[in-house]
């Protein structure tokens, strides 16, 4: 790959998260989004025209053949992450892959090995590690303001995903824990300087959407770290009224609360409705939480500035394929725990094809 002063980017996917990727990358001066690929006829073309992207493809290999592309951003459904990453690495491209890393540990190893062998970076897209309010929260902890960390809490809730592949556990690997619990797990690891997780306990159920999915739509996951910190994640696909993303740190000398969305929103009452208020807002007639600079508050532009800098200056990414694999190991243990009804000690090796299998088999 030729040394350049900008990073040529190819996007894989053309819907929800890829729209955010395109908007985030527009704010990164050293990024040059050159192409978009999506297998659904017409989608990449429409996306390219909407976002002013020069090239569009329905075939991944055709996009990977573009020499000017240095980095691929994977915004495809979970089941496709591994194959796309391996192909991109073999074509000599750096890879940013959306959460969760992939469906199973064998695939995680394949992705990491393919990128290592090709000498390209595997960057795990976990934007919560870049969300400005969470970055400030971590600073409070790191500065000692809160004393010794005792308990972390993080919750992410909405009323359910927008696309069929999330509800189909064969394509997603699991329900809300796979989809959003992965955020909490990496967030906790990041807060706790990647201290080792020694045990996982989880409770899962499908309380509202059983007609739609075999996956769980509510989950509580408790992690216990080697250094004694306990972390509690609450995940839901059954919460109405818009997205919720909040965290707490309880320390020996203080406590801090951070609410990414409601905490930054404009509480609004409208008899007519607002139109777009926030992700998955549902009805906006009456009271709603109107968000501003949503993708900035989530940290997406900051995340992509970091990944582009890592490629340009050959730096170690804050969140890597190894982090994505560590999250996946904890996800497997969470599903195993919910299935077995007991705490799971790590490591707990598994050859299961996807995390949800360990819960469903019970
Ligand atoms: N970081 C976050 O907060 C966040 C938010 C939403 C989604 N995601 C992740 O992003 C990924 C995509 O989710 P989404 O919400 O954009 O889904 P989506 O359904 O809105 O879009 C998926 C896109 O992938 C394309 N696609 C399908 N199969 C493909 C294949 N085999 N190869 C290439 N492209 C393929 C589809 O045509 C579509 O354009 C998922 O892994 C999801 O977990 C992350």
């Amino acid at each position: 790959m030729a040394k350049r002063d900008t990073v040529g980017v190819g996007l894989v996917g053309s819907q929800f998260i890829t729209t955010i990727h395109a908007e985030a990358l527009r704010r990164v001066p050293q990024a040059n989004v050159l192409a978009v690929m999506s297998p659904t006829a017409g989608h990449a073309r429409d996306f390219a025209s909407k976002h002013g992207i020069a090239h569009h493809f329905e075939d991944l290999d055709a996009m990977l053949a573009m020499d000017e592309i240095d980095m691929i951003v994977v915004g495809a459904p979970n089941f496709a992450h591994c194959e796309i990453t391996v192909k991109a690495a073999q074509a000599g491209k750096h890879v940013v892959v959306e959460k969760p890393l992939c469906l199973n540990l064998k695939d995680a190893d394949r992705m990491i090995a393919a990128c290592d062998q090709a000498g390209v970076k595997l960057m795990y897209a976990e934007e919560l590690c870049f969300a400005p309010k969470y970055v400030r929260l971590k600073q409070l902890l790191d500065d000692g303001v809160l004393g010794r960390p005792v308990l972390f809490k993080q919750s992410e809730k909405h009323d359910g995903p927008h696309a069929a592949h999330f509800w189909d556990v064969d394509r997603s690997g699991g329900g809300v824990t796979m989809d959003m619990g992965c955020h909490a797990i990496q967030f906790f690891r990041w807060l706790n300087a990647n201290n080792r997780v020694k045990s996982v306990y989880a409770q899962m159920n499908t309380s509202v959407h059983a007609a739609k999915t075999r996956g769980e739509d509510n989950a509580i996951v408790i992690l216990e770290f080697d250094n004694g910190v306990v972390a509690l994640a609450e995940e839901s696909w059954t919460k109405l009224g818009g997205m919720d993303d909040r965290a707490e740190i309880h320390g020996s000398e203080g406590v801090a609360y951070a609410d990414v969305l409601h905490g930054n929103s404009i509480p609004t009452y409208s008899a007519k409705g607002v139109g777009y208020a926030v992700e998955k807002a549902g009805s906006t007639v009456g009271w709603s939480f109107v968000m501003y600079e949503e993708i900035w508050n989530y940290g997406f532009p900051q995340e992509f500035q970091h990944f582009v800098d890592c490629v340009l200056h050959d730096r170690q990414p804050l969140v890597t394929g190894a982090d994505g694999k560590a999250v996946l190991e904890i996800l497997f243990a969470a599903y195993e725990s919910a299935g077995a009804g007991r705490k799971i000690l790590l490591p707990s090796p598994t050859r299961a094809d996807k995390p949800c299998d360990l819960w469903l088999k019970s």
Side-chain angles (χ1 to χ4, degrees):
M1 200 180 301
K3 184 96 181 117
R4 305 185 236 269
D5 51 11
T6 58
V7 173
V9 181
L11 303 175
V12 178
S14 63
Q15 299 297 303
F16 182 82
I17 198 65
T18 304
T19 302
I20 293 175
H21 293 161
E23 286 175 15
L25 283 159
R26 191 176 311 125
R27 299 184 189 200
V28 179
Q30 305 85 351
N32 190 6
V33 179
L34 297 169
V36 58
M37 176 268 152
S38 176
T40 319
H43 277 191
R45 185 198 55 222
D46 295 349
F47 190 92
S49 127
K50 186 168 169 207
H51 295 273
I53 298 171
H55 303 275
H56 55 85
F57 299 94
E58 286 173 21
D59 176 46
L60 179 64
D61 294 329
M63 184 168 84
L64 293 176
M66 283 183 67
D67 278 344
E68 314 88 289
I69 292 182
D70 307 294
M71 180 175 104
I72 295 294
V73 180
V74 184
N78 302 348
F79 72 89
H81 290 186
C82 177
E83 292 309 323
I84 297 168
T85 300
V86 169
K87 277 189 165 193
Q90 287 168 350
K93 314 296 186 194
H94 299 285
V95 185
V96 174
V97 62
E98 262 305 332
K99 61 80 196 166
L101 187 68
C102 54
L103 295 195
N104 58 54
L105 299 173
K106 197 168 119 220
D107 284 355
D109 287 335
R110 277 184 67 209
M111 293 164 76
I112 292 169
C115 290
D116 280 352
Q117 276 158 23
V120 295
K121 294 184 192 303
L122 178 53
M123 296 169 274
Y124 180 57
E126 179 42 78
E127 77 276 3
L128 294 193
C129 303
F130 300 89
K133 198 179 265 191
Y134 285 164
V135 170
R136 185 72 180 101
L137 181 72
K138 181 173 180 339
Q139 241 170 32
L140 293 173
L141 180 68
D142 293 347
D143 290 349
V145 172
L146 307 174
R148 182 175 47 81
V150 175
L151 171 69
F152 300 150
K153 291 166 95 172
Q154 204 267 348
S155 66
E156 206 166 305
K157 299 176 183 180
H158 58 53
D159 62 357
H162 53 278
H165 56 88
F166 289 96
W167 300 97
D168 172 6
V169 296
D170 291 330
R171 288 186 282 170
S172 60
V176 70
T177 317
M178 189 73 175
D179 182 33
M180 306 208 294
C182 59
H183 284 303
I185 292 168
Q186 178 51 29
F187 174 74
F188 294 145
R189 295 181 69 250
W190 170 66
L191 282 183
N192 209 9
N194 286 350
N195 195 271
R196 195 184 77 90
V197 172
K198 67 176 180 186
S199 82
V200 181
Y201 179 80
Q203 163 69 38
M204 299 178 186
N205 63 329
T206 313
S207 52
V208 171
H209 299 298
K212 221 169 166 179
T213 184
R214 292 191 299 137
E216 78 290 358
D217 58 16
N218 275 293
I220 292 170
V221 182
I222 300 170
L223 310 185
E224 190 186 6
F225 285 88
D226 265 347
N227 64 356
V229 173
V230 173
L232 170 68
E234 283 178 60
E235 312 300 332
S236 179
W237 276 351
T238 69
K239 185 238 162 225
L240 300 176
M243 184 79 187
D244 213 4
D245 198 317
R246 59 181 83 198
E248 297 176 18
I249 298 178
H250 298 243
S252 57
E253 294 180 58
V255 63
Y257 303 94
D259 183 331
V260 171
L261 292 164
H262 290 185
N264 288 4
S265 65
I266 304 163
T268 304
Y269 183 90
S270 169
K272 292 166 33 175
V274 171
Y276 186 85
V278 68
E279 182 185 347
K280 298 179 176 69
S283 167
T284 57
V285 172
W287 282 105
S288 58
F289 296 93
V290 179
M291 195 56 192
Y292 70 97
E293 287 283 4
E294 193 171 0
I295 73 164
W296 184 86
N297 277 296
Y298 265 128
F300 285 105
Q302 301 88 328
E303 173 186 57
F304 277 98
Q305 180 70 64
H306 170 73
F307 288 150
V308 164
D309 286 344
C310 286
V311 169
L312 273 182
H313 307 296
D314 193 19
R315 292 189 189 131
Q316 170 71 5
L318 177 68
V319 226
T320 64
D323 292 305
K325 183 182 171 192
V327 169
L328 198 55
E329 280 168 339
I330 295 166
L331 285 167
F332 270 105
Y335 282 91
E336 186 183 353
S337 166
R342 63 178 168 81
K343 193 193 249 195
I344 302 297
L345 300 182
L346 290 176
S348 180
T350 173
R351 291 189 184 171
D353 289 337
K354 54 185 186 299
C356 201
D357 288 349
L358 300 183
W359 176 60
L360 290 173
K361 77 175 185 196
S362 70

